[in-house]
Amino acid sequence: MPKAYWINTFRVIRDPDRVAAYAELGGAVMLAHGGRFLARGLPAAAFEEGVAERTTLIEFPSVEDAVAVYRSPAYQHALTVLGDAAVRDIRIIEASG
């Protein structure tokens, strides 16, 4: 089964303290379910229509595992902590090859 990648970009951060609280809770849920943080922070470079915004890349054993984490009660709790503190774009893609 191919691995999956959860790509999370923060378009707007309104409250860094709540984002940090969310990251602590949500990160723990992801790690507990096989997630592995590969990269996080601002891009070293952005090209064409790329935007220099905070980005997180997390590897999961499968798309199903990543989606299950997002839908889990523990992650949903982390989202309530985040609330409207950020505007994000989340994508889960299957690894190729």
Side-chain angles (χ1 to χ4, degrees), residues 2-97:
K3 293 184 179 196
Y5 297 94
W6 174 316
I7 303 163
N8 180 18
T9 59
F10 287 79
R11 308 258 177 193
V12 176
I13 295 177
R14 296 184 187 111
D15 185 337
D17 292 335
R18 283 195 293 156
V19 170
Y22 149 79
E24 187 173 326
L25 291 170
V29 175
M30 291 176 184
L31 291 170
H33 290 90
R36 186 167 71 105
F37 285 82
L38 301 178
R40 54 181 140 188
L42 292 173
F47 300 102
E48 299 185 24
E49 295 294 320
V51 178
E53 57 196 8
R54 180 177 168 177
T55 303
T56 306
L57 175 63
I58 308 111
E59 181 182 72
F60 282 90
S62 69
V63 167
E64 292 77 14
D65 290 321
V67 170
V69 167
Y70 187 87
R71 293 180 175 158
S72 73
Y75 187 77
Q76 291 300 307
H77 171 68
L79 289 178
T80 63
V81 170
L82 178 63
D84 65 354
V87 176
R88 304 179 311 144
D89 177 353
I90 297 174
R91 297 163 193 241
I92 297 170
I93 61 172
E94 187 174 87
S96 60

